[in-house]
Amino acid sequence: MRNIFAFVMACSLLSAHGQSFAQEAKPPRVEFPVWERVLSGTLGTKPINVALARIAANVSGWYCYAPCSGKTRQQLQLTGTVKANTLKLTERDSQSAKNIATGRWTVNLDGDSASGNWTSPDGGKTFALHLRDTQPVPFELRLVADAMPKETDDSDEAPHVSAIRIYRKGRLAQELTTDSQGPGSVFIPSLVDANFDGFPDLTIALSLPAGPNIPQQTWLFDPRTQRFVDAPETLQGITSPEFDKTFKTIVSQWRNGCCEHGVTTYRWDGGQLKETATASSVQLPVLVGQRILYCYTIPEYRDGRIEFPDRVEQVGDRLTLTFEDFSGCESQALSTASGDIAIWKRDAAGRLKVVRTESTAWKQVDTTAGRRYCPEIPYFANGRIERKVLRDRPDEICSEAAP
């Protein structure tokens, strides 16, 4: 009997501990609203553009007086809180060393519009604010996470987000499972037109690794069911996607280790996403006087095409460089350098294209290590291409057999 009693007690204790462990293992779930809003309107009589982002009760963003420029677009910073659809924001000039308040906003949100007042720090001046969403959203987004976000960002990890909830007219319409965690602040889902059908799709960053290769999770809006569905795996696998509605192109700017940066573009074809172009960084060989330099050049996406801003371009019968600053160039090429030079030229419509490529050749020459095949590399030199055989490091860059 004593053994039976001990066995029953042990099972009871294990069961109790198992329930306790199960309760402890279950992470807490909290819910808070998030949004990004782009607005335009007036401050007093002056037209302004405003961008705001909300995480729980905290709001941050910027505004500029139209027409905004690259210099002024994010100069005037806004931070504050929202409570019961009322924003209370402090304005600061990011270019001021004093970092003091330059104004205060009190704005009431009413659907797709907002109105309120701007007040000077001393309260002596007040101007009316009238704003309207440039891209109104017919639903509300809330994140489900294991903790509420902190009021200010810090070096700690942000709450782990496990779901995005979509509300319509105050009622839960759909919940999307995710696995997203930022380094200091939660990632806000972005509304994009990922398949260029005119309906808002949804995407969220999952983590922030070193470099630009940010993994994203994307859902496409199905107008028939009025619900979001998982995007194809081809889109899910694209890091840091950007969506160009004008050219209906998805752009990914990526990095492979320390010494390779690139751009890849994709387009939809019959519901399938297909790669259309890709280019990676190169080292452009240049002769500056008697100096041999290798200039690291990175491709960029512009107006539907991939181009190299730093390049050799043919203008008439002459070759020119599109840059003059060689301070970032190296005297020795990376091991990944090909030594090839693409020659670009503008067509009659002004579009750039590669008209020919000057490629590295291999020559059998005498070196301090004997007969070797060494690279004959083309260099841009004062408006023309000059070729040089590199034989001074035969054990490093030459070979006994023909490559």
Side-chain angles (χ1 to χ4, degrees):
M1 288 295 293
R2 204 165 30 232
N3 291 338
I4 294 174
F5 177 76
F7 176 77
V8 171
M9 288 299 295
C11 291
S12 299
L13 288 171
L14 286 172
S15 175
H17 280 301
Q19 291 178 356
S20 175
F21 292 152
Q23 291 174 355
E24 292 176 2
K26 187 176 181 180
R29 281 165 63 94
V30 297
E31 180 186 278
F32 51 88
V34 293
W35 47 247
E36 290 180 323
R37 300 181 70 168
V38 179
L39 309 103
S40 64
T42 56
L43 192 164
T45 60
K46 297 181 179 179
I48 60 172
N49 294 326
V50 185
L52 297 174
R54 174 184 184 176
I55 300 176
N58 303 308
V59 179
S60 61
W62 53 265
Y63 82 100
C64 55
Y65 291 93
C68 302
S69 66
K71 182 179 180 179
T72 64
R73 186 171 300 277
Q74 299 188 34
Q75 178 179 344
L76 298 173
Q77 302 288 322
L78 298 169
T79 56
T81 60
V82 57
K83 183 178 181 181
N85 290 330
T86 297
L87 300 176
K88 291 188 177 295
L89 306 174
T90 299
E91 168 194 309
R92 287 183 170 84
D93 187 341
S94 62
Q95 295 187 4
S96 172
K98 297 181 179 179
N99 195 34
I100 59 176
T102 54
R104 304 196 183 278
W105 291 38
T106 301
V107 178
N108 296 312
L109 304 176
D110 184 10
D112 299 334
S113 62
S115 60
N117 294 295
W118 175 95
T119 305
S120 62
D122 61 3
K125 296 181 180 179
T126 299
F127 296 106
L129 281 162
H130 296 285
L131 305 169
R132 181 167 291 277
D133 275 308
T134 60
Q135 299 173 335
V137 179
F139 47 80
E140 177 190 354
L141 299 177
R142 301 180 193 175
L143 298 183
V144 178
D146 59 358
M148 291 295 292
K150 298 179 181 180
E151 292 187 6
T152 57
D153 296 346
D154 53 30
S155 59
D156 296 334
E157 286 188 335
H160 172 248
V161 174
S162 57
I164 304 171
R165 287 179 176 169
I166 302 166
Y167 287 81
R168 295 181 184 272
K169 297 181 179 179
R171 300 183 63 179
L172 178 63
Q174 190 176 2
E175 180 170 311
L176 304 172
T177 301
T178 189
D179 184 11
S180 172
Q181 187 167 32
S185 178
V186 298
F187 294 113
I188 300 177
S190 297
L191 292 171
V192 298
D193 190 356
N195 56 356
F196 312 114
D197 63 353
F199 293 97
D201 306 311
L202 198 62
T203 185
I204 189 171
L206 301 180
S207 63
L208 187 62
N213 307 329
I214 302 174
Q216 300 272 148
Q217 185 176 4
T218 304
W219 299 265
L220 304 180
F221 183 75
D222 184 347
R224 183 180 58 85
T225 61
Q226 295 290 296
R227 294 174 67 83
F228 289 93
V229 297
D230 290 332
E233 287 299 320
T234 48
L235 178 54
Q236 306 286 19
I238 297 174
T239 58
S240 306
E242 300 174 16
F243 304 93
D244 183 348
K245 293 189 294 184
T246 302
F247 294 95
K248 292 182 171 52
T249 299
I250 298 175
V251 184
S252 175
Q253 301 190 49
W254 47 267
R255 175 181 176 182
N256 182 17
C258 69
C259 310
E260 185 181 15
H261 297 74
V263 180
T264 303
T265 59
Y266 306 82
R267 286 190 178 140
W268 293 98
D269 182 6
Q272 299 296 317
L273 193 61
K274 297 183 178 180
E275 180 180 317
T276 54
T278 190
S280 61
S281 52
V282 297
Q283 284 189 292
L284 181 60
V286 177
L287 284 175
V288 181
Q290 297 301 313
R291 290 189 302 157
I292 293 178
L293 297 176
Y294 298 89
C295 303
Y296 190 68
T297 63
I298 300 175
E300 292 183 2
Y301 173 81
R302 295 180 179 178
D303 299 329
R305 300 170 62 88
I306 299 175
E307 299 176 358
F308 281 82
D310 297 334
R311 61 184 180 270
V312 176
E313 185 174 335
Q314 182 175 332
V315 180
D317 296 330
R318 185 175 175 79
L319 300 180
T320 63
L321 275 182
T322 59
F323 62 97
E324 298 178 351
D325 184 5
F326 302 102
S327 60
C329 302
E330 300 290 338
S331 59
Q332 185 171 330
L334 295 171
S335 59
T336 56
S338 68
D340 295 348
I341 297 180
I343 309 298
W344 296 75
K345 186 178 180 181
R346 294 189 181 276
D347 61 18
R351 293 172 298 192
L352 280 167
K353 62 179 182 179
V354 176
V355 292
R356 75 177 194 275
T357 300
E358 296 284 347
S359 301
T360 297
W362 293 86
K363 300 291 185 180
Q364 190 176 28
V365 295
D366 291 324
T367 72
T368 55
R371 295 284 287 180
R372 294 287 189 275
Y373 287 91
C374 298
E376 181 191 66
I377 295 181
Y379 294 87
F380 174 86
N382 193 27
R384 58 188 177 85
I385 299 298
E386 182 176 326
R387 307 184 73 90
K388 285 182 173 291
V389 177
L390 302 186
R391 66 179 82 191
D392 57 333
R393 292 180 290 136
D395 293 334
E396 297 178 38
I397 61 177
C398 303
S399 61
E400 294 185 7

